Amino acid sequence: MKAPYRADQVGSLLRPDWLAEARRRWKAGEIDAAELKTTEDRAIVEAVRHQEAIGLESITGGEFRRDWWHLDFLASLGGVTLQQNPGPKFKIEGQSEQPPIPTVTGRIACAGPIMVDHFAFLKSETTKTAKMTIPSPSMLHLRGGRASISKQIYPDLAEFWVDVAAAYRVSIRHLADAGCTYLQLDDVTFAYLCDPRIQATCRANGDDPDKLPQTYADAINAALVDRPAGMNVTIHTCRGNFKSAWVAEGGYDPVVEAMFSTRVDGYFMEFDSARAGGFEPLRLLQNSEDRAKKVVLGLVTTKLGELESKDSLKRRIDEAAQFVPLERLCLSPQCGFSSTHHGNALSQDDQWKKLERVVEVAHEVWG
């Protein structure tokens, strides 16, 4: 079976305390980059072995070399500067800390390989499918919107999207040349735009939230125009995952048609709480041109340590199968366990038990 797999994962894993300490010391100038890399390598190898032992087919590096799931990659593109957002903000429930905003101050370009060395190391350490996660091209736009993109550089936003797609095509080619066959585009935009509060913030930033879902879908499709043969691509979307906090709520109805128009192999969709609404929007997948597309049901929460029961997960899979045939469904956690270096409010033991539960249930449901 090609990716996405019946039992899959979103990507990020909780950082061991000793890795977090090494990164702190590196930022403080107490150790050099070589010593940090040695520590990161050790942590990644341990995580890979644990994933393999559980029985996962897709193996990630836990995003251990990043501080943020998206900003480390985006800041490596030419023309992008990280700045504190002076304008309207998306509120993270219960949190005062706000991540920087990727701000466009020059022409967008990919001058050289981005995180290819991260992927190459991961691939060298596993015989399973090494999975690479990068932020979706739409993540250069959503949080700051038109207000965060220089009007001097891009008076016409159409030119901005052309450059973004071109930069992503180059970056994806670099990953393919390194042997990447499973790429995930992390894209909170679709899920965020289900929330009327987020839609209001978009308007304040100078954008039309009714048009944005299709704009983002078109950007993804343009980025994948030259997708290498043999590379499977998925999209992951969720409503926020910062220290177990969330940002948005609302069912997928306003965005699902545009999202399903993207030319990818599968969709990791958050369904771990009532904030995500019901499974009814999945029926639109039946109308998509590609009947091979899959939905990976994010039923196992990464925000809390309580372990979901097998019976409850199977019931929810049965509910989803009323709208999408069972053979087109898969199972995963709803998000990563540590989308940022802070990590979520659960233990390493909780994390591994949840991933084990995903594999167990997938085996029992699909064989």
Side-chain angles (χ1 to χ4, degrees):
M1 179 179 178
K2 68 177 186 178
Y5 298 102
R6 295 298 187 199
D8 217 314
Q9 61 172 320
V10 171
S12 67
L13 299 168
L14 294 170
R15 279 68 163 168
D17 291 341
W18 45 268
L19 173 59
E21 174 62 13
R23 290 189 65 82
R24 183 200 66 76
R25 293 185 64 203
W26 171 68
K27 291 176 183 178
E30 298 172 8
I31 62 173
D32 61 17
E35 185 174 347
L36 173 64
K37 182 180 183 302
T38 298
T39 306
E40 290 171 340
D41 288 352
R42 173 190 159 202
I44 290 168
V45 170
E46 289 188 8
V48 166
R49 298 294 170 261
H50 212 139
Q51 293 169 76
E52 291 173 335
I54 286 172
L56 288 166
E57 291 296 323
S58 66
I59 307 297
T60 79
E63 301 179 4
F64 284 172
R65 302 191 202 273
R66 309 183 202 182
D67 274 345
W68 305 86
W69 62 275
H70 56 325
L71 298 180
D72 300 65
F73 180 94
L74 297 177
S76 298
L77 291 168
V80 178
T81 305
L82 299 184
Q83 299 179 1
Q84 295 302 315
N85 182 15
K89 295 180 174 66
F90 298 153
K91 178 177 174 55
I92 301 173
E93 290 298 318
Q95 299 290 333
S96 58
E97 183 177 354
Q98 294 283 338
I101 296 286
T103 304
V104 177
T105 55
R107 294 201 73 90
I108 302 297
C110 177
I114 302 175
M115 296 185 176
V116 171
D117 55 335
H118 299 189
F119 173 79
F121 179 80
L122 171 66
K123 189 174 188 301
S124 73
E125 290 295 332
T126 184
T127 58
K128 300 291 187 178
T129 301
K131 176 179 181 177
M132 184 64 180
T133 62
I134 64 173
S136 167
S138 55
M139 296 311 304
L140 272 172
H141 180 272
L142 178 75
R143 290 184 60 226
R146 168 78 261 196
S148 68
I149 300 170
S150 169
K151 291 184 178 180
Q152 286 71 42
I153 303 296
Y154 291 111
D156 182 353
L157 269 186
E159 297 178 10
F160 163 76
W161 288 116
V162 168
D163 285 355
V164 169
Y168 264 76
R169 287 195 293 271
V170 172
S171 182
I172 290 170
R173 171 53 64 184
H174 289 155
L175 288 167
D177 290 345
C180 180
T181 60
Y182 188 4
L183 179 69
Q184 177 178 291
L185 301 177
D186 289 319
D187 189 317
V188 303
T189 62
F190 291 114
Y192 275 29
L193 287 168
C194 298
D195 191 324
R197 297 173 302 170
I198 302 296
Q199 295 168 12
T201 300
C202 290
R203 293 187 189 96
N205 279 327
D207 300 293
D208 183 348
D210 294 329
K211 295 180 179 178
L212 286 179
Q214 193 59 56
T215 296
Y216 295 153
D218 291 343
I220 291 169
N221 285 336
L224 295 176
V225 164
D226 297 324
R227 176 169 48 153
M231 176 184 280
N232 294 317
V233 180
T234 58
I235 290 173
H236 165 250
T237 191
C238 77
R239 290 157 180 78
N241 189 52
F242 177 65
K243 295 195 287 186
S244 290
W246 54 278
V247 176
E249 56 187 331
Y252 289 100
D253 300 86
V255 303
V256 70
E257 184 174 2
M259 186 171 75
F260 284 164
S261 74
T262 52
R263 291 187 280 276
V264 298
D265 300 291
Y267 303 91
F268 284 75
M269 297 176 68
E270 178 183 61
F271 281 111
D272 68 320
S273 75
R275 287 192 301 275
F279 294 119
E280 289 80 3
L282 297 182
R283 63 165 58 96
L284 285 182
L285 194 65
Q286 289 294 82
N287 301 326
S288 67
E289 295 180 2
D290 186 353
R291 293 301 179 93
K293 288 182 176 180
K294 300 172 189 166
V295 170
V296 187
L297 300 172
L299 301 178
V300 174
T301 187
T302 64
K303 298 186 187 303
L304 303 170
E306 182 179 357
L307 184 63
E308 291 81 357
S309 72
K310 290 184 182 181
D311 286 344
S312 66
L313 293 173
K314 290 176 182 178
R315 281 196 300 271
R316 300 217 65 205
I317 292 169
D318 287 342
E319 291 171 13
Q322 297 177 37
F323 305 100
V324 177
L326 184 63
E327 62 268 20
R328 296 180 66 182
L329 295 175
C330 306
L331 178 64
S332 78
Q334 120 279 350
C335 197
F337 292 90
S338 186
S339 298
T340 73
H341 64 90
H342 313 79
N344 282 1
L346 71 170
S347 69
Q348 292 270 348
D349 189 50
D350 294 333
Q351 168 185 268
W352 296 119
K353 285 181 178 178
K354 282 174 176 282
L355 288 172
E356 288 172 1
R357 180 55 46 92
V358 168
V359 173
E360 291 168 353
V361 171
H363 282 169
E364 293 178 14
V365 171
W366 289 283

